[in-house]
Amino acid sequence: MSIPDKEITIYDIAKALNISAATVSRALMDHPSVNINTKAKVQEAAKSMGYRSNQMASNLRKRKSNIIGIIVGNLNSSFMSNVIAGAEKVLSEAGYNLIISQSLDNVSKEINIAQAMYNNRVDGLLVSLAYETENADHFESFVKRGIPLVYFDRVWPHPKCPGIEIDNVKAAYDITEHLITQGCKRIAHITAFKISSVAADRFTGYKKALEDYNIPFNESLVIKTDLTMNAGIDAAHQIMNMEERPDAVFVTNDACAVGCMQETKKFGIRIPQDIAFAGFNNDTEASIIEPNLTTVNYRGDIMGEEAARILIDRINNASAAAQPAKKIMQKSEIIIRDSSVKRK
Amino acid sequence: MSIPDKEITIYDIAKALNISAATVSRALMDHPSVNINTKAKVQEAAKSMGYRSNQMASNLRKRKSNIIGIIVGNLNSSFMSNVIAGAEKVLSEAGYNLIISQSLDNVSKEINIAQAMYNNRVDGLLVSLAYETENADHFESFVKRGIPLVYFDRVWPHPKCPGIEIDNVKAAYDITEHLITQGCKRIAHITAFKISSVAADRFTGYKKALEDYNIPFNESLVIKTDLTMNAGIDAAHQIMNMEERPDAVFVTNDACAVGCMQETKKFGIRIPQDIAFAGFNNDTEASIIEPNLTTVNYRGDIMGEEAARILIDRINNASAAAQPAKKIMQKSEIIIRDSSVKRK
């Protein structure tokens, strides 16, 4: 088959059907003045000839791209896959297409992606920050241009950008309290090297629970990592080398917790009897590792839908966009599994 | 801060710096005729004023969007995250942006995504088909318009569309042969409801190995599912209800294998002593489940890079695009873990 060397236009369709271009144009817009049979013929011809409504030109006139960008740290988690499915559902119903990009939790990659999204003139942006991101200056160009931006999960506080997150302080407090009520007194905490707001909030919740139960905070029980599964293996070695080992470990995400559990088990450590474990996110891995991992669960699909709805509202509604941005708290729940239950 | 109500143009920059628009234009294109200090001043002003090179208008003139689309079944696997990272690396170096979409392995969603990508005038498309896709008619519009399309992993044979995949027949043969050499004689196979080319090839490899070792193929040992982790749980119940149970199960993906293993263990089945297990893909879960799962490994990042390179070549090089499309076979390897080793 020969490759058509030019875009099919309404003039080509008009010529093929021997009718006027104006009639073709009206038929394609489903105008009431055009006979129903003619409409059917035009639509049939448009399809078979490979006509595309000139969306780019039309968008240029409207100054709209109908494209929404979403930037996430890493696509590889059931949570993030659910967020994207939720956002996509709401956005496609509203006629938007989604460009997805992953920063691989690297801040310089995140800066490049933000620039590319800006140049592609997205109509709005959904962002969950990379773990190592310490400021949001690279998103200021969107704010300046009045392009709505909504943060989710790993958010940045900004008067113009709403954020949806869970109460990380409370969830971390609750899970630490659960470990304390299981009789744990030396609770280690694995957190990020560069502490993002999410990791900082979880760290705060952990310390607050210790304080409320009169357990002195011990800096030597805090391990800083890049939170990958491999980092969990290294953390396990640090724990094994401690003079006095912890009786519980609260890890700020599941992937790192699972890596750490697998490695401590190789040293003959019994979970939860010797060391109890708790993670965060309820990733698939948490219910595969043995014993299953106690964790914090929150719904990605709901977070994605809600973020998309807020974004569309700010795009379409100037008065909504002019309101000071609110922080939205989504519900989360602790799921207690065998990795932490010392007292049955 | 007030939201600028119109796009910043080179005329605005010219006015602000009190120089000519022609100088601004040349400075932004890094033209040698412009003084280096002026260039710096223009670039600084462009940045602070929020100027964007008019990419959409420029693309319209060139009939290029610089956008590549990628459609995958599901973003939620370490394999697919690696494919995307590999493709993104090659594409961004070549100046393309990537639009990512997931069909959630649903064929009607895949059809809608293909149409949206077509309307957005992607310059090329990378596709891994949904599990349930049984033909590739919805991608014919790209072929007709001469928009290069490269399949990867779950490919569709097409004279105009190259495909990168692994030798699924051979990999499935090898892993079945491994189970046979471990002494297994009743090997069940869990495959897809709607058998895609990938699932069909693996099924073929399984049957071929049985034949070569004089083990009669037994239809009652074939279980058809949608290959999710939950489907693995259901499959486990089917296995438990068989009059004569299998001594091994070869599952066509890891997620379903892991679900099936977890559930059979609840019935007191010992793995691998009572039933050996093997999967496919080497997902993260395969090295978390106990015992660790024997599986087939192949590198997603390499597949993504290679697919992107072939696509760019066909976009830029009319003679490459005119060549009949080849099928490219990527290497894969069996990783033997404890789930299948009966003879040590």
Side-chain angles (χ1 to χ4, degrees), chain B residues 71-334:
Chain B
I71 305 178
V72 307
N74 204 310
L75 293 167
N76 175 25
S77 78
S78 48
F79 171 75
M80 214 42 103
S81 182
N82 289 337
V83 169
I84 290 169
E88 219 164 28
K89 184 172 155 260
V90 170
L91 292 171
S92 69
E93 279 166 10
Y96 289 95
N97 293 302
L98 189 62
I99 306 188
I100 308 168
S101 249
Q102 58 180 349
S103 66
L104 298 174
D105 281 323
N106 176 303
V107 68
S108 66
K109 198 161 160 46
E110 187 175 87
I111 292 170
N112 289 338
I113 293 169
Q115 189 58 48
M117 295 263 181
Y118 185 78
N119 288 336
N120 276 296
R121 297 169 185 238
V122 293
D123 290 338
L125 199 58
L126 300 170
V127 177
S128 175
L129 292 169
Y131 257 122
E132 56 171 62
T133 296
E134 288 175 314
N135 69 61
D137 295 350
H138 45 300
F139 293 111
E140 270 309 297
S141 49
F142 294 89
V143 177
K144 277 193 194 163
R145 277 288 305 155
I147 301 165
L149 190 161
V150 175
Y151 287 105
F152 67 94
D153 198 33
R154 298 198 213 137
V155 311
W156 189 263
H158 192 292
K160 298 255 180 196
C161 308
I164 308 183
E165 57 185 328
I166 59 162
D167 188 338
N168 284 291
V169 177
K170 183 178 181 302
Y173 182 99
D174 291 349
I175 212 159
T176 308
E177 183 177 49
H178 157 72
L179 293 170
I180 295 168
T181 60
Q182 293 297 313
C184 303
K185 288 184 165 47
R186 282 182 66 77
I187 304 174
H189 182 47
I190 303 182
T191 184
F193 272 127
K194 297 192 179 178
I195 296 194
S196 67
S197 65
V198 166
D201 284 353
R202 294 178 191 168
F203 195 8
T204 301
Y206 156 79
K207 285 191 284 193
K208 227 166 145 184
L210 295 182
E211 195 184 321
D212 285 358
Y213 284 85
N214 298 314
I215 299 174
F217 168 67
N218 182 344
E219 187 75 52
S220 73
L221 289 173
V222 176
I223 299 173
K224 295 189 176 175
T225 73
D226 64 8
L227 295 177
T228 57
M229 218 169 127
N230 277 331
I233 296 174
D234 295 340
H237 289 269
Q238 288 189 51
I239 290 168
M240 287 304 107
N241 289 328
M242 286 178 180
E243 267 184 46
E244 199 181 343
R245 286 187 192 152
D247 53 16
V249 183
F250 164 42
V251 191
T252 207
N253 78 353
D254 284 349
C256 186
V258 165
C260 191
M261 286 171 76
Q262 283 196 297
E263 195 67 9
T264 49
K265 281 160 70 178
K266 290 187 189 160
F267 287 91
I269 296 289
R270 295 167 308 156
I271 302 171
Q273 297 88 333
D274 301 331
I275 303 180
F277 271 88
F280 213 108
N281 289 345
N282 196 23
D283 280 337
T284 311
E285 293 90 325
S287 34
I288 297 174
I289 185 79
E290 288 186 24
N292 285 188
L293 179 63
T294 292
T295 189
V296 176
N297 181 56
Y298 51 114
R299 294 259 311 259
D301 53 344
I302 290 178
M303 191 173 272
E305 286 173 23
E306 184 68 7
R309 261 186 232 111
I310 295 169
L311 188 70
I312 292 171
D313 192 37
R314 292 178 88 85
I315 291 171
N316 294 335
N317 186 338
S319 72
Q323 298 289 318
K326 275 188 210 154
K327 208 163 149 175
I328 293 126
M329 284 293 179
Q330 185 176 314
K331 269 204 308 195
S332 68
E333 55 175 347
I334 293 185

Side-chain angles (χ1 to χ4, degrees), chain A residues 11 14 29 31 51 125 135 167 171-172 192 213 217 250 274 293-294:
Chain A
Y11 301 98
M29 288 186 297
H31 195 280
Y51 171 76
L125 198 58
N135 68 62
D167 188 338
Y213 284 85
F217 169 67
F250 164 42
D274 301 330
L293 179 62
T294 292

